[in-house]
Amino acid sequence: MSSTDARTSVTAPAVRARKVASGAEPLVMLTAYDAPGARIADDAGVDLILVGDSVAMVVLGYDDTLSVSVADIAHHVGAVARAKPRPLIVADLPWMSYHTSVDEAVNNAATLVRAGAQAVKLEGGRKRLRVVEAIVDAEIPVMGHLGLTPQSMHAMGGFKVQGRTSEAALALVADAKALAHSGCFAIVLEGVPDAVARMVTAAVDVPTIGIGAGPHCDGQVLVFHDVLGLEDRVAPKFVRRYADLKADAVDAVARYADDVRGGHFPADGESYHLAAGVAETLGLYGGPVRR
Ligand code: KIV
């Protein structure tokens, strides 16, 4: 459990104040897409739940994040919010929900807040400042996302580590400073060299939350299905698996199937029984059916 009081809900201003350089404990963010996932994250004491557009890949079976809509994310945000978790609920604005107009972006952010989000996250740096400022003006906290931004996979030429040249590293620092200046309360840094994440973290007064960005960020985020080993197909270098639930689940379901096929499930204690008088009236004998 975090040292934060378990009954106090985490807020965006409280997250904004969590710089490790100022003595704060690193932030812990985990994705979740439904009520059971939100309860697990809450009971484990994480600080932020991200209803990420990664739902497209780990839950909905798509190959990338580009296929999910605002309605899809809102559906999953609602499920997470109904668990009433203590962590701050951050919802991803999906691809094309903030790219065509500032008004559309604000309205889409509002849709996610009405579904239960307490903040939204969007990808991109200086070219997104007008959108960030407008959403912040609408009193919705915004989390930035820089580096390997999966919604730009085609523009980037794939899922590639970003910021490897000195120009690219300096551009990331400039993007992060601009996002912080425009009102972002935190910034996700994804898929960047650890030294670059360290430079960015030192350059901004809002927390950075890393994924594949090394240990020098103000916090870390991982995807629920990766942490728990529910996703066993791809294992990026930065993922640490803390459980092997896919294998455990396959084993459990296989044992269930064996029990059904072998006539061992359900047992007498797992069945409902008629009262003796009713069974007699119907001409039935009590006791379990014998095969
Ligand atoms: O959608 C997501 O899960 C994310 C994280 C990888 C930061 O954006």
Side-chain angles (χ1 to χ4, degrees):
M1 289 287 289
S2 139
S3 54
T4 318
D5 180 343
R7 287 153 302 169
T8 309
S9 291
V10 179
T11 64
V15 169
R16 193 193 180 290
R18 294 273 293 269
K19 283 298 279 184
V20 168
S22 309
E25 199 177 34
L27 289 160
V28 181
M29 182 156 84
L30 183 70
T31 68
Y33 315 103
D34 56 21
R39 286 189 203 104
I40 289 169
D42 191 2
D43 289 354
V46 312
D47 300 302
L48 303 101
I49 290 174
L50 173 64
V51 185
D53 57 3
S54 51
V55 69
M57 298 169 79
V58 295
V59 176
L60 301 177
Y62 294 111
D63 289 333
D64 54 52
T65 61
L66 305 181
S67 298
V68 284
S69 64
V70 173
D72 293 325
I73 301 284
H75 177 75
H76 289 277
V77 166
V80 164
R82 284 190 285 278
K84 298 189 174 45
R86 183 195 69 92
L88 186 76
I89 302 173
V90 182
D92 254 340
L93 278 165
W95 181 59
M96 290 309 285
S97 69
Y98 55 97
H99 302 69
T100 51
S101 87
V102 170
D103 284 353
E104 210 178 1
V106 175
N107 284 328
N108 287 328
T111 298
L112 297 181
V113 170
R114 290 195 172 119
Q118 294 151 327
V120 296
K121 175 167 82 57
L122 58 81
E123 298 182 4
R126 282 162 285 177
K127 63 179 157 187
R128 302 286 169 228
L129 297 187
R130 282 177 54 235
V131 166
V132 169
E133 281 163 12
I135 298 174
V136 170
D137 267 359
E139 314 299 347
I140 300 172
V142 178
M143 178 178 282
H145 185 160
L146 293 172
L148 194 175
T149 45
Q151 292 173 13
S152 315
M153 58 173 284
H154 295 305
M156 291 183 313
F159 295 106
K160 292 187 176 152
V161 172
Q162 301 293 300
R164 285 193 186 273
T165 64
S166 51
E167 294 78 19
L170 292 173
L172 280 175
V173 172
D175 280 336
K177 282 182 169 174
L179 287 178
H181 188 256
S182 296
C184 284
F185 73 99
I187 300 170
V188 166
L189 292 180
E190 178 168 357
V192 297
D194 53 356
V196 174
R198 185 179 217 156
M199 276 172 67
V200 172
T201 301
V204 292
D205 63 357
V206 299
T208 58
I209 302 179
I211 175 164
H216 307 298
C217 298
D218 297 298
Q220 298 292 328
V221 54
L222 281 176
V223 167
F224 186 89
H225 292 60
D226 289 337
V227 170
L228 295 179
L230 282 163
E231 171 59 73
D232 68 348
R233 293 166 302 170
V234 244
K237 174 186 171 113
F238 57 81
V239 165
R240 188 179 295 177
R241 290 211 166 109
Y242 288 85
D244 197 4
L245 294 195
K246 164 82 187 296
D248 290 350
V250 169
D251 178 59
V253 174
R255 285 189 290 116
Y256 160 63
D258 281 351
D259 281 353
V260 171
R261 292 182 183 126
H264 305 299
F265 177 83
D268 190 47
E270 291 156 335
S271 306
Y272 298 104
H273 300 294
L274 281 175
V278 180
E280 254 169 54
T281 308
L282 292 171
L284 299 170
Y285 299 102
V289 175
R290 303 274 171 230
R291 289 173 191 264

